[in-house]
Amino acid sequence: MTTNSSETNDETNETKNGLDSTRADWNLVNIPPEIFLQICSFLPASFIQQTLSQVCSVFQQRLDDPGWWKLRVHHQWPGKYPMIDIPDLSWVDVCVEREEIARRWRERPTRVERIHLVGHSTSVDTLHLMQDGSLLVSGGRDRSIILWKIDESLKAEEERRPILKQVLNAHQGWIWSIASRDNVICSASWDNKVTLWSMNEDMRRIVDFKCKAAALCVQFIDESLIAVGCYNKALCIFDRRAPPHPVRQLSFHRKPVLDLCHVGDALASTGEDAVVALWDIRADKPMSSLKLPQYSLCISYAEGHLVAGDKKGSIHLMDPSDGNLQLIKSFETGHERGIKNAMFSLGAIFTCSGDRSVRVFEPSERFGLLHKEQFDSEISDLDYCNSVLACSTTDHDIYILRPTAVDQSSSV
C-alpha cells in the first residue's frame, strides 16, 4: 500500500502549525514555572522584589519561594553563608542586599564620591548615624557635637555644611562616643561625664552623669538606663531618672572598657584586657566571656553576628546565641594598623583603620575584598546604616562615601 505524500505533508504541517500556535500563546503567566524562574535569574533581585512580584498573583506566588532565592545567593557566592545560622532568615532581603552592595562596590571600575562635611576644627573621634541614616551625629577633640542632615541632595563637588545644630563646648574633654535612642542623643567624654541631649529641642542639654574616670563608650539599655564603659575598668549603669551618679557599677574587665554594643536583650563589652564579655544587665553579671589573641578596639552586632576588630588589624567573628560566646573564625583584613571600627551587615563588612583606609569585605567565609578606599589622613571612626557609609579622620574631616559604577560606554 502506498501513502500519498501530499497527505503526509499536510499532517506534518498541521502538527507544526499546532505547536507553533501553542507556543504563540505562551507568555510570562502561562509558561512553565521553571522557565519563568530561569528568565528571572537574569534580572536584578531588587527589580524582582519591588516590581515584578507585584504585577499579578501568579508572579507573586512563583517568586515567593525562599528556596529559589537561597539557591540564587549560593550560585553567585559559593560557600557557607551566612557564617552563623539565622532562624527565619528572609532570603529575598538577603539576596537584594548582597546584589546591591556587590553592584555598587565590586564592579570595576568604581568611582566613589566623597561628600566632604566641614564643621569640626580637630580630630573627629566618633560618628553615629541615626533615623535610618538620614541624620549623622559627630563628636571631636574640639569638644563640640554636630548634628548633620544627610540626603541625596548632597554632592561631592564642594565642601558642604548641612549642619542642623552645633553644640560648642559640649564637654570639657574629648568626645569619644555617641549613641542615640529615639530623639535623645548621648555623648561620652574624657571629662568623666556622660550627657543626654534633646534633638527635638534644639539640642538642649537634658542631664549630665558623672563617672569616676574617662567615659570611653556608651550604649542605651532602654528608655531610662544607659551603660557606660570607663577607663577605670568599670561598667557603669546610669538611670536618667536618678542623676548624676551610677545606680550600679559592674566590675569584670581588668583593663579599660573600650566598646559596647547591644546583643538582643544583652550587652557585649570589649576591653584592653583582650576579653569580650556578654552581660545580663538585669542580673548584673556576665553570662559568658571570651579571650581573644589581641585586644579589640571595637565591637558591633547585627543579624546574629558579633564582630570585633583588634589592634593588629584582624576581625574576629563570634556567635553569641544562647548567651554563650563562641569564636567562629578570625580573618586577616590587610589593614596595617588597628581596626578603629567594624560594621557587619548581611551584605558586607565595613572596616576602617589607622592605616588611612576604609575597606569593604564579603560577609562570608571567603571574606573577599570588595573595595579599598585610601585617604590622606588616619581614619578615626566609621558608621554604616541603610546604605549610608560615613567615616571621619584625625584631620577634622567627615566623608559620606557613595560608590558609583563608571559608565564605560561614555568613554568609548
Side-chain angles (χ1 to χ4, degrees):
M1 181 178 178
T2 61
T3 303
N4 190 314
S5 59
S6 61
E7 294 179 359
T8 303
N9 290 336
D10 290 341
E11 292 176 359
T12 303
N13 290 334
E14 288 177 4
T15 303
K16 289 181 178 181
N17 291 335
L19 288 173
D20 289 340
S21 176
T22 302
R23 289 173 179 171
D25 293 336
W26 280 6
N27 56 51
L28 288 177
V29 174
N30 61 24
I31 60 173
E34 58 270 20
I35 297 179
F36 173 82
L37 293 176
Q38 181 63 22
I39 294 172
C40 290
S41 67
F42 294 96
L43 301 174
S46 58
F47 172 78
I48 297 173
Q49 180 196 42
Q50 299 168 12
T51 303
L52 189 61
S53 64
Q54 307 303 314
V55 170
C56 64
S57 60
V58 174
F59 288 5
Q60 188 176 43
Q61 183 179 7
R62 289 179 176 180
L63 294 168
D64 193 29
D65 180 9
W68 182 78
W69 288 100
K70 183 177 181 180
L71 286 174
R72 178 176 172 130
V73 169
H74 287 290
H75 176 74
Q76 296 181 79
W77 300 282
K80 180 171 175 52
Y81 175 85
M83 292 182 280
I84 296 173
D85 293 334
I86 303 174
D88 304 320
L89 180 63
S90 171
W91 284 100
V92 180
D93 295 338
V94 165
C95 191
V96 170
E97 184 174 2
R98 289 211 65 177
E99 286 189 14
E100 180 62 19
I101 286 182
R103 181 187 67 81
R104 299 179 69 200
W105 291 101
R106 185 181 61 189
E107 290 183 357
R108 296 293 186 266
T110 295
R111 178 171 62 88
V112 176
E113 290 185 340
R114 297 182 182 182
I115 292 88
H116 188 192
L117 306 183
V118 178
H120 288 279
S121 59
T122 58
S123 176
V124 184
D125 293 308
T126 179
L127 293 176
H128 176 69
L129 287 164
M130 55 187 297
Q131 294 193 359
D132 291 328
S134 64
L135 296 176
L136 174 69
V137 191
S138 61
R141 299 190 186 189
D142 59 3
R143 298 163 172 77
S144 69
I145 294 174
I146 300 179
L147 179 65
W148 310 81
K149 176 65 175 177
I150 307 299
D151 57 38
E152 292 299 322
S153 67
L154 294 179
K155 303 297 180 183
E157 285 77 15
E158 58 183 14
E159 295 180 352
R160 297 297 299 271
R161 294 175 178 266
I163 296 175
L164 293 179
K165 180 65 180 177
Q166 183 170 9
V167 182
L168 300 175
N169 298 315
H171 285 270
Q172 295 178 346
W174 298 345
I175 298 172
W176 211 246
S177 181
I178 290 176
S180 70
R181 184 180 180 90
D182 298 327
N183 292 316
V184 177
I185 295 170
C186 185
S187 58
S189 170
W190 280 83
D191 64 1
N192 300 5
K193 290 184 179 180
V194 175
T195 302
L196 297 185
W197 309 87
S198 174
M199 193 183 69
N200 286 344
E201 300 177 68
D202 203 29
M203 290 296 285
R204 176 182 64 85
R205 186 188 299 263
I206 301 173
V207 66
D208 290 323
F209 301 104
K210 295 181 180 180
C211 305
K212 292 182 178 180
L216 303 182
C217 49
V218 61
Q219 281 289 337
F220 280 89
I221 297 174
D222 55 30
E223 292 182 356
S224 301
L225 299 179
I226 301 107
V228 180
C230 299
Y231 189 81
N232 66 350
K233 306 173 286 187
L235 179 60
C236 297
I237 309 299
F238 293 95
D239 191 329
R240 59 184 297 182
R241 300 163 296 186
H245 302 292
V247 293
R248 302 195 298 275
Q249 184 167 304
L250 313 179
S251 297
F252 181 75
H253 289 282
R254 296 183 177 182
K255 290 188 177 182
V257 181
L258 301 179
D259 204 6
L260 298 169
C261 72
H262 279 288
V263 180
D265 294 329
L267 192 72
S269 64
T270 185
E272 205 171 303
D273 54 3
V275 171
V276 175
L278 192 62
W279 294 83
D280 183 343
I281 295 298
R282 306 301 175 185
D284 292 345
K285 65 180 181 180
M287 294 183 285
S288 63
S289 62
L290 186 65
K291 181 85 171 182
L292 296 176
Q294 304 287 341
Y295 74 78
S296 297
L297 301 170
C298 59
I299 191 168
S300 67
Y301 173 82
E303 304 291 350
H305 295 64
L306 184 63
V307 173
D310 71 24
K311 69 170 185 175
K312 294 293 187 180
S314 297
I315 288 288
H316 305 283
L317 173 65
M318 293 160 282
D319 182 356
S321 59
D322 301 322
N324 183 28
L325 279 175
Q326 296 183 35
L327 180 63
I328 301 301
K329 195 167 184 177
S330 298
F331 302 94
E332 296 298 324
T333 63
H335 282 299
E336 297 177 357
R337 298 182 63 181
I339 294 177
K340 297 294 186 70
N341 209 349
M343 304 297 297
F344 178 89
S345 76
L346 288 173
I349 298 176
F350 300 89
T351 63
C352 69
S353 169
D355 66 1
R356 305 182 179 185
S357 71
V358 170
R359 304 186 185 209
V360 186
F361 297 92
E362 292 182 19
S364 63
E365 287 188 337
R366 184 171 176 266
F367 201 68
L369 179 64
L370 295 176
H371 186 80
K372 174 184 175 183
E373 193 73 6
Q374 198 70 36
F375 292 80
D376 295 329
S377 307
E378 291 187 21
I379 306 298
S380 51
D381 199 13
L382 169 149
D383 202 6
Y384 176 79
C385 178
N386 195 29
S387 299
V388 177
L389 179 61
C391 68
S392 59
T393 76
T394 56
D395 279 350
H396 71 260
D397 300 308
I398 298 174
Y399 295 99
I400 306 298
L401 305 182
R402 287 181 181 160
T404 305
V406 175
D407 186 359
Q408 292 178 303
S409 63
S410 62
S411 61
V412 176

